Amino acid sequence: NFELQQSNKSTLNLFLSSSGKQNYIFLRNFRSYYNKIAEKVNLNVVYHTIECKSCEASECILSNSCCAFDLDDYQSGMGAYIIEEQFFQYKIFHYFAKQNKTDQWFEYMDRFDKKCAEGWVNSKQCAEQMRAELGINQLDTINTFDTMMEWRRL
């Protein structure tokens, strides 16, 4: 049984990586345009991951199935944490999108870039603190292996 969802809105997929500075610059510029078209589109975010064949085993997660590189410094790796942060950004986006508050996701992304993403040093602690400041630290409870596997299949 196959049913199509009827909608007057188009779907806009943003393909991102949490590790590339250009992604954050794009989002800062895109935010004002999105606010103008938000009523006409369903925004969705998709994050780039790669199979672990290209990464060191220590940089992989989900039973060595995926990783990511720091796009601004290919050698620094941090693949496992980049994937975890992308997962949180994805879940934060959907958490706010369900409440029609995508502006708060844009705010998180902007703050993460300015406070936490530079060189990825201490970025995990920084992101956790920032999520708490923004009142979205309850999302930590969804960070389970099953939920991450569901995200990986999207």
Side-chain angles (χ1 to χ4, degrees), residues 113-129:
D113 175 44
K114 291 176 179 174
K115 291 184 176 184
C116 306
E118 193 64 39
W120 291 87
V121 176
N122 299 319
S123 60
K124 186 172 188 171
Q125 294 83 2
C126 177
E128 289 169 355
Q129 179 182 355

Side-chain angles (χ1 to χ4, degrees), residues 99-111:
Q99 301 174 43
N100 292 319
K101 296 180 180 180
T102 52
D103 213 46
Q104 289 185 285
W105 174 76
F106 280 105
E107 183 65 24
Y108 174 83
M109 298 297 284
D110 189 52
R111 286 189 188 189

